[in-house]
Each structure stands twice: as structure tokens, then as C-alpha cells.
Amino acid sequence: MTLSSPIPLAELTTMKVGGRPKSLVRCESASELYEAVIDAWDQDEPFQILAGGSNTVFADDMSELNVILVATQGREIVSEDESEILIRVQAGESWDELVSWAVENGYAGIEAMSGIPGSVGATPVQNVGGYGQEVSQVITQIEFLDRASNLVEIKPAAFFEFSYRDSALKGGLEGVVGWVEFRLRKLGGLSVPMASGQITEHVGAPYGSQLPLQQVRDVVLELRSSKGMVVKPEDPNSVSCGSFFTNPVVSRQKLTEFPEDMNFWSMPDDDYVKLSAGWLIENAGIPKGFSLPGSKAAISQKHALAIINTGGASATEIVELARFIQERVAARWGINLIPEPNLIGF
Ligand SMILES: Cc1cc2nc3c(=O)[nH]c(=O)nc-3n(C[C@H](O)[C@H](O)[C@H](O)COP(=O)(O)OP(=O)(O)OC[C@H]3O[C@@H](n4cnc5c(N)ncnc54)[C@H](O)[C@@H]3O)c2cc1C
């Protein structure tokens, strides 16, 4: 456990905003992480767990906040046979390095989630997903320090109540993820059936096809890069938290209130549909590249759903733009957009 003199949180987040915290503790083992969190609970002071910082927006004044940085590393193969592999991955490991490793070694189930920044331990928090896959489809169990019991326990996936970009962890379950166990499949170098029309159309294959794992990864990285959704120093449109709002889920009946050309996706429960938040924003009169007068926060040039820091924006500017978008979309479409990133200190 290293106590560093706190650097501004802007340096630890992909949105590049946030002031200097009161303290910063870097934990390199699960035991250090659990100890730091238990200490923080005992001290009864505000604290925040931070890993890759790609889904967190800190306020400009964070001088009262203690930050616990998850920097644990390690992967352990629990079991393997001809059809699948069970692997436990420490929370601080890079998610995309895990995906890349799985693809190289012929393990299927996470290939369409290539290029998502951040850590393995944060993936259960919002049930990370993309291009038709979600981590809840492959998580079997999680080692978790639970505030309710003050114990480190191995919890089954069902304990976390995963749903679209949501889980009990996002909804108030307090604790810290130590490791996540995934079940990946061996399908002869092929992917699981692709549940993303964007991927299958891109390669000219029917929806639901199994494609070579490396091809899926390459296509997803290409599609994501074209939208500024891969963090790259040379892409100013990737200085963001990815999508700033979740796609709203509404009853199918509500579709009658929208123009026929609006974008939406069917849900497993046929009574509901998921609307495109990007479409709602652009069709509320807020174009890509938009910014408020004098502000250094803007909508990405490549994707209406991403708010970016164009260089030196304050956290206040980011949140002002988010509120403006929420108000315009509510006024035009009667829909409340819910922010996807964790907004801390606002
Ligand atoms: C360009 C870009 C594209 C993105 N695309 C996607 C996408 O396609 N799909 C998607 O779902 N997300 C996407 N995201 C959001 C983000 O990458 C994911 O949410 C990711 O899982 C966040 O990981 P992190 O380690 O950076 O989390 P952080 O921002 O560090 O933390 C996020 C939350 O998780 C909590 N947390 C972190 N680690 C732990 C732990 N070990 N135990 C308990 N709580 C913990 C934190 O307290 C915080 O509440 C994107 C972000 C960017 C910048």
C-alpha cells in the first residue's frame, strides 16, 4: 500500500477533470485493498474507490475526499477442459488486456467488448457491455468485501442483480470487488454468435454468425475508433467517459410518440425498447461538436452521446453541458436522460 502525495484526480481519469483529493492510497494486493476500505469505513470519512478512471467525473474541489486506487494485478486459471475455461482476474487488471489475451488464446465470450477502457474490477459495477455482449453473460462469481457483513466473501453473479448498464453495486450495494471469475468458451477459434448487427453487417455475414475471434476484435476496434470510443492520445474525441448517458428503456407503446425514423433496439422483454440517446440528443437540436458559449466542454465531433474535454475544461463545465442536454431532451422528448458515469462531488 503506497500513500502518495495526492496528484489532481484529472491525471487519473479519462475525462481529465477533478481536483486534488485529501489523500490517495494505491493498493497493489487484494489484502491491501480490503484493509484500506475497512479503514475508510472505520474512519467514517468520505472516500471513493477508483481504478482506471474511465467512468468517473470528479468535481473541481475534491479536497475533502479520500481516494483508494485499485492497482491489483494477476490472473489465475481455475479450471480448463476442451469446451471452456474458468479464470479469476484481479480487480486492477486492464479489461482490454484481458480481452486481447482471450482472443489470442481462442477463448470466446468477451471479444465484442474489445477496446472498452478501465479495469476488470469495475466491469460488474455497471455491467459493462458493447456490441451485443455484457460481462454478466460470462461472470460466474466475484470475491467481494461486503460492507453489510464486513467480510470478504465469494458471491455468485446473481447476488449483483445485473441488468442493462446496472447492478446492485451501482444501486447502492457497498463494498469492493477483489477478483472477478469469468467462464469463457472454446469454440475452435470462433466467437459466440454475434448479437450485433453492426458487426455482422460490417463483414457481410448474417446476424448471429460466429466469426473468427480476431476478426471480431479488429472490427470492434475499427468501429469504436471511428466514434472516438477507444482512448487514444492522438484522438481529441476520446477525452471522455465514453457514453455520457445510458440509452433510455421505455415501454414499446411509447414508440408511437416518436417519428418512425427514430433509432431503437428491441429488448429481451418484448414490452420494452431501448431508445438511442444519441438520436434523442441530435434531434433535440444539439449537434455533434456543440459547446456552450465560452465552455471547453463539448459534444464529441464523432458521437452525439459523448461529452469531451476539449482541453482544460473544468468539471463544472462538463456537468453544465450535461445538464443543458438533459433539459433540452426532456423539453423536446419528455425523456430524462440518466448519466452513465459516476459523478463525484457535485
Ligand atoms: C472512450 C470510452 C469508451 C467507453 N465505452 C464503454 C462501453 O462501450 N461500454 C461500457 O459499459 N462502458 C464504456 N465506457 C465506460 C468505462 O470504460 C467502463 O465503465 C469501465 O468499466 C470503467 O472502468 P474503470 O476501471 O475506469 O472505472 P472507474 O472510473 O475507476 O470506476 C467506475 C466505478 O466503479 C467503481 N469501482 C472501480 N473499481 C472497483 C472495485 N474493484 N470494486 C468496487 N467498485 C469499483 C468506482 O468506485 C466507480 O464507482 C467507456 C469509457 C470511455 C472513456
Side-chain angles (χ1 to χ4, degrees):
M1 194 180 317
T2 335
L3 258 175
S4 358
S5 60
I7 49 171
L9 291 164
E11 293 178 29
L12 297 173
T13 55
T14 54
M15 187 64 100
K16 299 197 190 305
V17 296
R20 228 175 263 279
K22 183 173 176 188
S23 73
L24 180 67
V25 180
R26 188 184 149 87
C27 303
E28 291 181 359
S29 71
S31 55
E32 287 178 358
L33 178 60
Y34 297 142
E35 199 184 312
V37 172
I38 290 169
D39 277 357
W41 285 335
D42 287 347
Q43 282 165 21
D44 208 19
E45 282 198 18
F47 78 99
Q48 178 68 21
I49 297 163
L50 181 68
S54 63
N55 212 24
T56 304
V57 181
F58 287 108
D60 297 310
D61 180 1
M62 289 278 75
S63 54
E64 294 302 313
L65 185 75
N66 301 292
V67 173
I68 296 173
L69 192 62
V70 185
T72 55
Q73 297 291 298
R75 291 181 207 145
E76 180 199 345
I77 294 175
V78 181
S79 67
E80 184 168 9
D81 61 23
E82 63 286 350
S83 61
E84 63 179 41
I85 180 172
L86 275 183
I87 178 161
R88 285 182 187 168
V89 189
Q90 292 294 316
E93 285 268 334
S94 151
W95 169 255
D96 194 47
E97 279 175 22
L98 176 68
V99 179
S100 167
W101 171 86
V103 165
E104 269 169 35
N105 288 280
Y107 306 131
I110 54 178
E111 53 282 0
M113 291 182 279
S114 290
I116 299 178
S119 66
V120 165
T123 59
V125 176
Q126 70 157 4
N127 184 19
V128 155
Y131 295 91
Q133 292 183 343
E134 286 183 338
V135 285
S136 58
Q137 295 163 338
V138 287
I139 292 177
T140 49
Q141 47 186 14
I142 292 177
E143 186 174 89
F144 184 64
L145 167 62
D146 190 347
R147 176 145 208 195
S149 61
N150 226 19
L151 293 174
V152 176
E153 294 170 306
I154 297 177
K155 302 279 195 188
F159 177 78
F160 297 93
E161 298 170 10
F162 294 119
S163 59
Y164 166 66
R165 285 311 163 274
D166 204 7
S167 76
L169 283 164
K170 204 163 176 183
L173 171 68
E174 284 185 66
V176 64
V177 171
W179 52 248
V180 185
E181 185 182 271
F182 302 95
R183 174 181 284 123
L184 304 178
R185 296 167 66 193
K186 294 186 187 172
L187 301 169
L190 295 180
S191 68
V192 297
M194 284 289 100
S196 158
Q198 285 188 75
I199 295 178
T200 49
E201 276 161 30
H202 194 84
V203 301
Y207 184 84
S209 300
Q210 290 179 259
L211 302 170
L213 287 167
Q214 189 62 52
Q215 183 182 25
V216 174
R217 180 165 169 82
D218 293 345
V219 168
V220 169
L221 289 176
E222 189 186 331
L223 289 169
R224 295 182 69 93
S225 297
S226 70
K227 299 174 190 167
M229 287 291 172
V230 179
V231 176
K232 293 181 182 172
E234 68 275 19
D235 184 357
N237 286 295
S238 71
V239 185
S240 76
C241 283
S243 301
F244 204 92
F245 300 102
T246 53
N247 289 316
V249 175
V250 299
S251 71
R252 190 172 279 277
Q253 257 176 342
K254 203 169 165 63
L255 275 181
T256 53
E257 296 170 25
F258 294 94
E260 277 180 9
D261 67 343
M262 91 148 317
N263 298 344
F264 69 91
W265 298 273
S266 296
M267 297 285 291
D269 177 344
D270 206 42
D271 290 341
Y272 291 90
V273 293
K274 198 162 64 179
L275 305 182
S276 159
W279 187 97
L280 294 171
I281 294 169
E282 287 196 279
N283 288 279
I286 305 175
K288 294 190 185 86
F290 174 88
S291 60
L292 291 167
S295 172
K296 295 197 182 85
I299 308 270
S300 159
Q301 303 275 357
K302 295 181 175 172
H303 199 307
L305 201 42
I307 293 182
I308 60 166
N309 179 348
T310 61
S314 65
T316 307
E317 286 175 320
I318 301 287
V319 168
E320 272 170 4
L321 178 57
R323 290 206 182 111
F324 177 83
I325 295 168
Q326 284 174 308
E327 281 164 20
R328 286 287 283 268
V329 168
R332 176 67 185 86
W333 299 113
I335 298 270
N336 286 322
L337 290 181
I338 311 289
E340 188 180 296
N342 301 279
L343 306 178
I344 310 295
F346 296 96

PDB file of all heavy atoms in Angstrom, residues 74-78 86-90 141 154 179-182:
ATOM      1  N   GLY A  74      -3.038  -9.725 -11.565  1.00  0.00           N
ATOM      2  CA  GLY A  74      -2.913 -11.188 -11.538  1.00  0.00           C
ATOM      3  C   GLY A  74      -4.119 -11.886 -12.140  1.00  0.00           C
ATOM      4  O   GLY A  74      -5.246 -11.408 -12.040  1.00  0.00           O
ATOM      5  N   ARG A  75      -3.825 -13.019 -12.814  1.00  0.00           N
ATOM      6  CA  ARG A  75      -4.878 -13.879 -13.379  1.00  0.00           C
ATOM      7  C   ARG A  75      -4.579 -15.302 -12.963  1.00  0.00           C
ATOM      8  O   ARG A  75      -3.415 -15.709 -12.988  1.00  0.00           O
ATOM      9  CB  ARG A  75      -4.814 -13.881 -14.911  1.00  0.00           C
ATOM     10  CG  ARG A  75      -5.200 -12.614 -15.555  1.00  0.00           C
ATOM     11  CD  ARG A  75      -5.114 -12.799 -17.087  1.00  0.00           C
ATOM     12  NE  ARG A  75      -4.847 -11.505 -17.680  1.00  0.00           N
ATOM     13  CZ  ARG A  75      -4.094 -11.308 -18.745  1.00  0.00           C
ATOM     14  NH1 ARG A  75      -3.519 -12.318 -19.356  1.00  0.00           N
ATOM     15  NH2 ARG A  75      -3.909 -10.096 -19.215  1.00  0.00           N
ATOM     16  N   GLU A  76      -5.630 -16.052 -12.651  1.00  0.00           N
ATOM     17  CA  GLU A  76      -5.421 -17.442 -12.245  1.00  0.00           C
ATOM     18  C   GLU A  76      -6.425 -18.320 -12.990  1.00  0.00           C
ATOM     19  O   GLU A  76      -7.630 -18.055 -12.936  1.00  0.00           O
ATOM     20  CB  GLU A  76      -5.672 -17.545 -10.730  1.00  0.00           C
ATOM     21  CG  GLU A  76      -5.496 -18.916 -10.158  1.00  0.00           C
ATOM     22  CD  GLU A  76      -6.201 -19.053  -8.803  1.00  0.00           C
ATOM     23  OE1 GLU A  76      -6.569 -18.016  -8.205  1.00  0.00           O
ATOM     24  OE2 GLU A  76      -6.407 -20.192  -8.368  1.00  0.00           O
ATOM     25  N   ILE A  77      -5.908 -19.336 -13.692  1.00  0.00           N
ATOM     26  CA  ILE A  77      -6.827 -20.265 -14.365  1.00  0.00           C
ATOM     27  C   ILE A  77      -7.322 -21.261 -13.319  1.00  0.00           C
ATOM     28  O   ILE A  77      -6.532 -21.951 -12.678  1.00  0.00           O
ATOM     29  CB  ILE A  77      -6.144 -20.971 -15.545  1.00  0.00           C
ATOM     30  CG1 ILE A  77      -5.831 -19.926 -16.623  1.00  0.00           C
ATOM     31  CG2 ILE A  77      -7.033 -22.083 -16.120  1.00  0.00           C
ATOM     32  CD1 ILE A  77      -5.051 -20.418 -17.812  1.00  0.00           C
ATOM     33  N   VAL A  78      -8.625 -21.279 -13.101  1.00  0.00           N
ATOM     34  CA  VAL A  78      -9.209 -22.130 -12.058  1.00  0.00           C
ATOM     35  C   VAL A  78      -9.427 -23.544 -12.597  1.00  0.00           C
ATOM     36  O   VAL A  78      -9.151 -24.526 -11.930  1.00  0.00           O
ATOM     37  CB  VAL A  78     -10.567 -21.545 -11.584  1.00  0.00           C
ATOM     38  CG1 VAL A  78     -11.185 -22.382 -10.479  1.00  0.00           C
ATOM     39  CG2 VAL A  78     -10.393 -20.113 -11.140  1.00  0.00           C
ATOM     40  N   LEU A  86     -12.294 -21.456 -16.856  1.00  0.00           N
ATOM     41  CA  LEU A  86     -12.719 -20.558 -15.773  1.00  0.00           C
ATOM     42  C   LEU A  86     -11.483 -19.795 -15.327  1.00  0.00           C
ATOM     43  O   LEU A  86     -10.467 -20.411 -14.987  1.00  0.00           O
ATOM     44  CB  LEU A  86     -13.238 -21.358 -14.584  1.00  0.00           C
ATOM     45  CG  LEU A  86     -14.692 -21.806 -14.562  1.00  0.00           C
ATOM     46  CD1 LEU A  86     -14.977 -22.523 -13.251  1.00  0.00           C
ATOM     47  CD2 LEU A  86     -15.638 -20.620 -14.703  1.00  0.00           C
ATOM     48  N   ILE A  87     -11.581 -18.470 -15.321  1.00  0.00           N
ATOM     49  CA  ILE A  87     -10.405 -17.674 -14.959  1.00  0.00           C
ATOM     50  C   ILE A  87     -10.781 -16.591 -13.955  1.00  0.00           C
ATOM     51  O   ILE A  87     -11.820 -15.947 -14.085  1.00  0.00           O
ATOM     52  CB  ILE A  87      -9.741 -17.079 -16.234  1.00  0.00           C
ATOM     53  CG1 ILE A  87      -8.550 -16.214 -15.845  1.00  0.00           C
ATOM     54  CG2 ILE A  87     -10.705 -16.307 -17.113  1.00  0.00           C
ATOM     55  CD1 ILE A  87      -7.589 -15.962 -16.944  1.00  0.00           C
ATOM     56  N   ARG A  88      -9.931 -16.456 -12.919  1.00  0.00           N
ATOM     57  CA  ARG A  88     -10.132 -15.390 -11.912  1.00  0.00           C
ATOM     58  C   ARG A  88      -9.142 -14.276 -12.184  1.00  0.00           C
ATOM     59  O   ARG A  88      -7.944 -14.519 -12.294  1.00  0.00           O
ATOM     60  CB  ARG A  88      -9.872 -15.938 -10.509  1.00  0.00           C
ATOM     61  CG  ARG A  88     -10.996 -16.802 -10.044  1.00  0.00           C
ATOM     62  CD  ARG A  88     -10.784 -17.306  -8.642  1.00  0.00           C
ATOM     63  NE  ARG A  88     -11.848 -18.266  -8.383  1.00  0.00           N
ATOM     64  CZ  ARG A  88     -11.893 -19.089  -7.353  1.00  0.00           C
ATOM     65  NH1 ARG A  88     -10.925 -19.066  -6.453  1.00  0.00           N
ATOM     66  NH2 ARG A  88     -12.893 -19.919  -7.202  1.00  0.00           N
ATOM     67  N   VAL A  89      -9.649 -13.061 -12.230  1.00  0.00           N
ATOM     68  CA  VAL A  89      -8.807 -11.928 -12.599  1.00  0.00           C
ATOM     69  C   VAL A  89      -8.903 -10.859 -11.514  1.00  0.00           C
ATOM     70  O   VAL A  89     -10.011 -10.468 -11.107  1.00  0.00           O
ATOM     71  CB  VAL A  89      -9.237 -11.348 -13.977  1.00  0.00           C
ATOM     72  CG1 VAL A  89      -8.247 -10.316 -14.459  1.00  0.00           C
ATOM     73  CG2 VAL A  89      -9.391 -12.457 -15.002  1.00  0.00           C
ATOM     74  N   GLN A  90      -7.745 -10.406 -11.049  1.00  0.00           N
ATOM     75  CA  GLN A  90      -7.716  -9.372 -10.005  1.00  0.00           C
ATOM     76  C   GLN A  90      -8.340  -8.070 -10.526  1.00  0.00           C
ATOM     77  O   GLN A  90      -8.205  -7.726 -11.717  1.00  0.00           O
ATOM     78  CB  GLN A  90      -6.271  -9.098  -9.564  1.00  0.00           C
ATOM     79  CG  GLN A  90      -5.621 -10.264  -8.825  1.00  0.00           C
ATOM     80  CD  GLN A  90      -6.271 -10.557  -7.475  1.00  0.00           C
ATOM     81  OE1 GLN A  90      -6.564  -9.644  -6.709  1.00  0.00           O
ATOM     82  NE2 GLN A  90      -6.516 -11.829  -7.199  1.00  0.00           N
ATOM     83  N   GLN A 141     -18.666 -15.742 -10.586  1.00  0.00           N
ATOM     84  CA  GLN A 141     -18.669 -15.304  -9.188  1.00  0.00           C
ATOM     85  C   GLN A 141     -17.620 -14.215  -8.976  1.00  0.00           C
ATOM     86  O   GLN A 141     -16.757 -14.000  -9.818  1.00  0.00           O
ATOM     87  CB  GLN A 141     -18.458 -16.484  -8.245  1.00  0.00           C
ATOM     88  CG  GLN A 141     -17.322 -17.409  -8.620  1.00  0.00           C
ATOM     89  CD  GLN A 141     -17.281 -18.636  -7.717  1.00  0.00           C
ATOM     90  OE1 GLN A 141     -18.221 -18.931  -6.980  1.00  0.00           O
ATOM     91  NE2 GLN A 141     -16.176 -19.359  -7.749  1.00  0.00           N
ATOM     92  N   ILE A 154     -17.088 -14.954  -1.327  1.00  0.00           N
ATOM     93  CA  ILE A 154     -17.233 -15.246  -2.757  1.00  0.00           C
ATOM     94  C   ILE A 154     -18.731 -15.284  -3.053  1.00  0.00           C
ATOM     95  O   ILE A 154     -19.454 -16.121  -2.525  1.00  0.00           O
ATOM     96  CB  ILE A 154     -16.536 -16.571  -3.120  1.00  0.00           C
ATOM     97  CG1 ILE A 154     -15.032 -16.437  -2.842  1.00  0.00           C
ATOM     98  CG2 ILE A 154     -16.778 -16.905  -4.597  1.00  0.00           C
ATOM     99  CD1 ILE A 154     -14.225 -17.686  -3.093  1.00  0.00           C
ATOM    100  N   TRP A 179     -11.668  -9.894  -6.881  1.00  0.00           N
ATOM    101  CA  TRP A 179     -11.443 -10.515  -8.194  1.00  0.00           C
ATOM    102  C   TRP A 179     -12.774 -10.878  -8.824  1.00  0.00           C
ATOM    103  O   TRP A 179     -13.802 -10.965  -8.150  1.00  0.00           O
ATOM    104  CB  TRP A 179     -10.504 -11.719  -8.145  1.00  0.00           C
ATOM    105  CG  TRP A 179     -10.768 -12.833  -7.162  1.00  0.00           C
ATOM    106  CD1 TRP A 179      -9.991 -13.138  -6.079  1.00  0.00           C
ATOM    107  CD2 TRP A 179     -11.818 -13.837  -7.171  1.00  0.00           C
ATOM    108  NE1 TRP A 179     -10.495 -14.228  -5.415  1.00  0.00           N
ATOM    109  CE2 TRP A 179     -11.614 -14.690  -6.062  1.00  0.00           C
ATOM    110  CE3 TRP A 179     -12.914 -14.077  -7.998  1.00  0.00           C
ATOM    111  CZ2 TRP A 179     -12.463 -15.755  -5.757  1.00  0.00           C
ATOM    112  CZ3 TRP A 179     -13.763 -15.153  -7.701  1.00  0.00           C
ATOM    113  CH2 TRP A 179     -13.519 -15.975  -6.594  1.00  0.00           C
ATOM    114  N   VAL A 180     -12.720 -11.092 -10.135  1.00  0.00           N
ATOM    115  CA  VAL A 180     -13.912 -11.500 -10.880  1.00  0.00           C
ATOM    116  C   VAL A 180     -13.569 -12.807 -11.585  1.00  0.00           C
ATOM    117  O   VAL A 180     -12.483 -12.938 -12.163  1.00  0.00           O
ATOM    118  CB  VAL A 180     -14.311 -10.438 -11.932  1.00  0.00           C
ATOM    119  CG1 VAL A 180     -15.627 -10.820 -12.613  1.00  0.00           C
ATOM    120  CG2 VAL A 180     -14.428  -9.053 -11.300  1.00  0.00           C
ATOM    121  N   GLU A 181     -14.491 -13.780 -11.512  1.00  0.00           N
ATOM    122  CA  GLU A 181     -14.283 -15.047 -12.228  1.00  0.00           C
ATOM    123  C   GLU A 181     -15.161 -15.073 -13.478  1.00  0.00           C
ATOM    124  O   GLU A 181     -16.357 -14.770 -13.407  1.00  0.00           O
ATOM    125  CB  GLU A 181     -14.636 -16.223 -11.326  1.00  0.00           C
ATOM    126  CG  GLU A 181     -14.320 -17.574 -11.956  1.00  0.00           C
ATOM    127  CD  GLU A 181     -14.739 -18.718 -11.042  1.00  0.00           C
ATOM    128  OE1 GLU A 181     -13.929 -19.135 -10.207  1.00  0.00           O
ATOM    129  OE2 GLU A 181     -15.897 -19.169 -11.172  1.00  0.00           O
ATOM    130  N   PHE A 182     -14.540 -15.426 -14.602  1.00  0.00           N
ATOM    131  CA  PHE A 182     -15.246 -15.469 -15.888  1.00  0.00           C
ATOM    132  C   PHE A 182     -15.237 -16.890 -16.444  1.00  0.00           C
ATOM    133  O   PHE A 182     -14.230 -17.591 -16.321  1.00  0.00           O
ATOM    134  CB  PHE A 182     -14.554 -14.564 -16.920  1.00  0.00           C
ATOM    135  CG  PHE A 182     -14.454 -13.118 -16.505  1.00  0.00           C
ATOM    136  CD1 PHE A 182     -13.308 -12.626 -15.881  1.00  0.00           C
ATOM    137  CD2 PHE A 182     -15.506 -12.235 -16.746  1.00  0.00           C
ATOM    138  CE1 PHE A 182     -13.209 -11.297 -15.503  1.00  0.00           C
ATOM    139  CE2 PHE A 182     -15.407 -10.899 -16.384  1.00  0.00           C
ATOM    140  CZ  PHE A 182     -14.263 -10.435 -15.752  1.00  0.00           C
TER     141      PHE A 182
END
